[in-house]
Amino acid sequence: MILNEISLQLQSGKANAVKELVCKALEEGIPAETILKDGLIRGMSVIGEKFKNNTVFVPDVMMAARAMTQGSEMLKPHLSVEESGMTGKVCLGSIKGDIHDIGKNLVKMMMECKGLEVIDLGVDVAPETFVETARKENCRVIGISALLTTTMVTMEEVVKAAERAGVRDQVKIMVGGAPVTEDFAHKIGADAFSSDAATAAEVALAFCKE
Amino acid sequence: MTERERFIKALKREPIEGHCPTFEMMFFLTLEALGRIHPFQKSLDRWDQMTQKERRLHIEYDAETYIMTAEKYQHSAIFIEFGFKQMSEYDKILRLLETVREKTGDRYFLMLEGDPTFAMPDGENMMSFTERMYEDETGLKKEAEERLARRLEIAEVLSKRGLVDGFMMASDYCFNVNPFFSPAMFETFIAPYLSRAICAYRDMGFYSIKHTDGNVMPILDQIVDCQPDALHSLDPQAGVSLSEVKRLYGDRVALCGNVNCGLLQTGTEEEVVSDVRRSLREGMNGFGYIFCTSNCVYTGMPLERYELMHRIWREEGSY
């Protein structure tokens, strides 16, 4: 019952209520991993699904994510590394020449809520930086964002840089952003295109679990 | 009939003859098109250090750049993109407006940015803004009131001096998938202030064009209820259909835009031609349409693509 309440309060974006409930659940002896999976992650999954179906909006997701983050922080001391739910590593950024970060930040938030570790490279990121980071940090996924039609063409350079570095078969490359389309992603040789942050997180998670 | 009068007729959704009015919210390709540096590409860091003469020359130059753009592409309106972010800019912008008016009289419909409403925040401020919507409704509403009051104060001055015909209300509300604000949030934090601004502007004799990129459909009812004279951009990359908006609201508001900027940038020539023809066909049906891109002619767009769009308008965009 308390796990369901955690999920509901998280969906309402009530971080303080979530923290109180998480604390109570721990006191009741519920394992931290159970609280994480059946309370926090379950609530975030519901919000993510609603967001994908356009029944909740970005601020709703952000408040839920804030509650998720704060609730997770309380669980951290009680979780082993394996239990902490980290399911894979992604490096993410806005492509060179593009200083827009709204979409990229939303994707980051949704990915983290799926238990992915995200290395945020920020904005105006050179193609080589994506590839070098993925190689050094052992990232399974590179996520590239662009808002501008003038910058999205540089996304192809990331694919080429990964090929040149000999890591193309070790990393999945995802692209997204307002002007980006499925066709464009296919044309430049990316592995996936996502039209929204929730789907991007799902796709990245699936790649990490492959 | 002047371009200004034609533009006003389109805003009023009245029948006109000849070309469907056209303009661009911003046209950045002035160097390539006219051999002139766009006002936004000029650095005026030493403005305060300049002599009056040098300042006047800069203002003259910028005014001429706006006018030459309008002349070259037969625009009916000129939008001076500068916003009053600081009151120190106030005098400079007034002088720019005065100069454009002096040089063109009433030939063009002259617009300034005038949106007091919150735009969707950038990535850095999105969380703090969202927290305020959830946890500080009173404080955020107070700020919305203050923003409105500031804009109306500026509008009063402009009204007395007869410098502009209307305001482009340029706060963006939407992503491609959905608005940033839910309909309920929009109703609380945006619509009341947008409505009051438009109403006050109208009382002062100004027209209002409400711009937003992205998928505006979930909040479009509320925006139209605020009674702007026109809606701008109607972003096809976000799935906004000109014919559908026309069907739903064409009897209440004029429409501007919908020529797909994505295609202008990366589509084939055939796709561009087809999209321009579609926009003209759907928009001109029943009047109340102003032909333009679904955003602006931005830095990086190939000039020849805008000129192709413009050529089709010239050849086929007549009533």
Side-chain angles (χ1 to χ4, degrees), chain B residues 6 102 152 240 299:
Chain B
R6 294 167 53 70
E102 277 163 22
L152 296 185
V240 178
T299 304

Side-chain angles (χ1 to χ4, degrees), chain A residues 59-111:
Chain A
D60 304 312
V61 179
M62 296 188 80
M63 291 303 280
R66 186 185 71 159
M68 166 96 189
T69 306
Q70 294 185 12
S72 306
E73 284 298 319
M74 297 188 67
L75 292 176
K76 262 188 190 165
H78 306 275
L79 292 167
S80 65
V81 174
E82 291 77 32
E83 289 170 340
S84 69
M86 286 302 174
T87 45
K89 214 186 248 190
V90 179
C91 66
L92 188 68
S94 299
I95 193 66
K96 191 169 179 55
D98 210 316
I99 55 162
H100 299 88
D101 61 358
I102 294 177
K104 185 261 299 171
N105 289 356
L106 289 175
V107 170
K108 179 187 175 192
M109 189 175 69
M110 295 304 289
M111 284 181 172

Side-chain angles (χ1 to χ4, degrees), chain B residues 261-274:
Chain B
C261 279
L263 290 179
L264 288 171
Q265 178 76 33
T266 58
T268 63
E269 226 174 87
E270 291 74 24
E271 285 171 329
V272 172
V273 170
S274 161

Side-chain angles (χ1 to χ4, degrees), chain A residues 31-156:
Chain A
E33 190 188 359
T34 306
I35 301 171
L36 179 70
K37 286 187 177 159
D38 297 341
L40 299 176
I41 292 179
R42 185 155 62 97
M44 206 59 218
S45 298
V46 174
I47 277 285
E49 199 57 30
K50 284 182 177 174
F51 182 58
K52 225 167 66 177
N53 295 328
N54 297 327
T55 54
V56 299
F57 292 75
V58 166
D60 304 312
V61 179
M62 296 188 80
M63 291 303 280
R66 186 185 71 159
M68 166 96 189
T69 306
Q70 294 185 12
S72 306
E73 284 298 319
M74 297 188 67
L75 292 176
K76 262 188 190 165
H78 306 275
L79 292 167
S80 65
V81 174
E82 291 77 32
E83 289 170 340
S84 69
M86 286 302 174
T87 45
K89 214 186 248 190
V90 179
C91 66
L92 188 68
S94 299
I95 193 66
K96 191 169 179 55
D98 210 316
I99 55 162
H100 299 88
D101 61 358
I102 294 177
K104 185 261 299 171
N105 289 356
L106 289 175
V107 170
K108 179 187 175 192
M109 189 175 69
M110 295 304 289
M111 284 181 172
E112 286 176 342
C113 289
K114 287 274 179 198
L116 293 164
E117 184 181 347
V118 180
I119 299 171
D120 186 351
L121 297 172
V123 297
D124 191 21
V125 181
E128 297 73 22
T129 307
F130 280 104
V131 174
E132 190 57 20
T133 307
R135 198 180 57 75
K136 271 190 190 159
E137 297 287 339
N138 200 22
C139 296
R140 178 66 179 135
V141 176
I142 291 175
I144 324 166
S145 171
L147 180 76
L148 306 173
T149 41
T150 47
T151 56
M152 72 177 193
V153 288
T154 313
M155 288 172 156
E156 187 174 8

